[in-house]
């Protein structure tokens, strides 16, 4: 005995209607089973990919601020990030390396990774993402300095256009003592490189 289960193919939101129109323009059989529920799935996925718009870095950090017991550099390396290039809606992904030198406050380490997520879960360019993470931490912590380096692979360069599979983009934002003090900057960059 066979079952003929058909999922709803009718888009229920403007977003889903636009995805359905895109599928109709791209695929000769947009009503086939594999694409039938794609507009709903794509909408749900993009809500997740861009969840950072609904988040505020200050609120994400919340009350995870503590009195500084050190004025030495704090570095969190290899924070995974996933974002969407605002030019092609193609993913870019990689790692963020974040450091700061406390002045009066330190922050729970997991909150640094959450701040990276707040800004990466938006339509982005890597340069802006890097600066936003650094500026948010500077605003909330008011440290002596902040350094952020982001290394990422961009599918818009790998799958289309120049199609360079091994290219990596590196961006940095250095604020406070990371910008003004060459020794601080060198120490941070050495730690990021694994030295």
């Amino acid at each position: 005995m066979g079952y003929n289960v058909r999922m709803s193919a009718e888009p229920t939101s403007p977003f889903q209607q636009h995805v359905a129109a895109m599928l109709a323009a791209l695929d000769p059989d947009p009503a086939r089973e594999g694409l039938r529920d794609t507009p709903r799935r794509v909408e749900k996925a993009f809500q997740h990919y861009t969840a950072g718009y609904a988040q505020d870095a200050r609120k994400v950090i919340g009350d995870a601020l503590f009195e500084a017991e050190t004025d030495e550099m704090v570095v969190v390396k290899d924070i995974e990030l996933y974002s969407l290039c605002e030019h092609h809606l193609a993913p870019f992904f990689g790692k963020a390396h974040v450091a700061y030198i406390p002045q009066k406050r330190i922050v729970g380490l997991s909150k640094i990774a959450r701040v990276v997520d707040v800004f990466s879960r938006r339509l982005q360019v890597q340069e802006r993402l890097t600066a936003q993470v650094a500026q948010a931490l500077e605003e909330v912590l008011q440290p002596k300095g902040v350094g952020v380096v982001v290394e990422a692979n961009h599918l818009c360069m790998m799958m289309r256009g120049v199609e360079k599979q091994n290219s990596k983009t590196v961006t940095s934002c250095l604020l406070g003592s990371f910008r003004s003090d060459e020794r601080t900057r060198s120490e941070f960059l050495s730690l990021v490189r694994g030295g």
Side-chain angles (χ1 to χ4, degrees):
M1 180 184 329
Y3 294 96
N4 188 6
V5 177
R6 181 175 172 85
M7 292 183 172
S8 172
E10 292 301 314
T12 59
S13 71
F15 188 101
Q16 291 178 31
Q17 291 167 5
H18 289 297
V19 173
M22 183 178 68
L23 292 173
L26 295 173
D27 195 288
D29 184 13
R32 64 187 162 88
E33 182 183 0
L35 295 178
R36 205 172 293 145
D37 202 30
T38 296
R40 182 195 62 78
R41 290 191 299 262
V42 169
E43 180 177 37
K44 188 174 181 183
F46 270 77
Q47 287 169 347
H48 178 72
Y49 300 155
T50 60
Y53 286 120
Q55 298 175 324
D56 178 281
R58 186 177 290 278
K59 291 181 180 172
V60 164
I61 291 173
D63 61 358
L65 295 172
F66 310 98
E67 185 177 328
E69 297 178 9
T70 181
D71 62 356
E72 298 295 329
M73 188 181 302
V74 177
V75 182
V76 181
K77 288 176 49 173
D78 299 327
I79 302 168
E80 294 177 5
L81 67 87
Y82 302 91
S83 194
L84 288 175
C85 161
E86 68 182 31
H87 300 139
H88 304 99
L89 298 186
F92 67 93
F93 56 92
K95 298 175 182 178
H97 313 290
V98 180
Y100 71 99
I101 297 177
Q103 186 155 257
K104 296 178 182 172
R105 297 183 282 194
I106 59 173
V107 65
L109 297 176
S110 68
K111 300 301 184 180
I112 293 174
R114 291 187 189 280
V115 169
V116 171
D117 284 344
V118 165
F119 294 108
S120 62
R121 296 290 184 178
R122 300 178 181 192
L123 302 180
Q124 275 290 14
V125 295
Q126 183 175 330
E127 298 87 340
R128 183 190 314 123
L129 165 63
T130 307
Q132 286 175 328
V133 170
Q135 290 162 358
L137 290 171
E138 182 182 52
E139 180 184 328
V140 174
L141 296 176
Q142 299 178 342
K144 294 177 182 175
V146 177
V148 177
V149 171
V150 173
E151 306 173 63
N153 299 91
H154 292 250
L155 290 187
C156 60
M157 283 185 63
M158 297 167 73
M159 291 180 64
R160 58 163 301 284
V162 296
E163 296 185 18
K164 299 302 180 198
Q165 305 308 306
N166 297 311
S167 64
K168 184 180 287 189
T169 301
V170 181
T171 51
S172 68
C173 183
L174 305 172
L175 303 174
S177 59
F178 285 81
R179 180 182 287 263
S180 62
D181 184 333
E182 186 178 337
R183 288 189 315 151
T184 300
R185 182 170 56 252
S186 295
E187 180 184 352
F188 170 54
L189 295 176
S190 173
L191 290 168
V192 165
R193 291 185 197 111

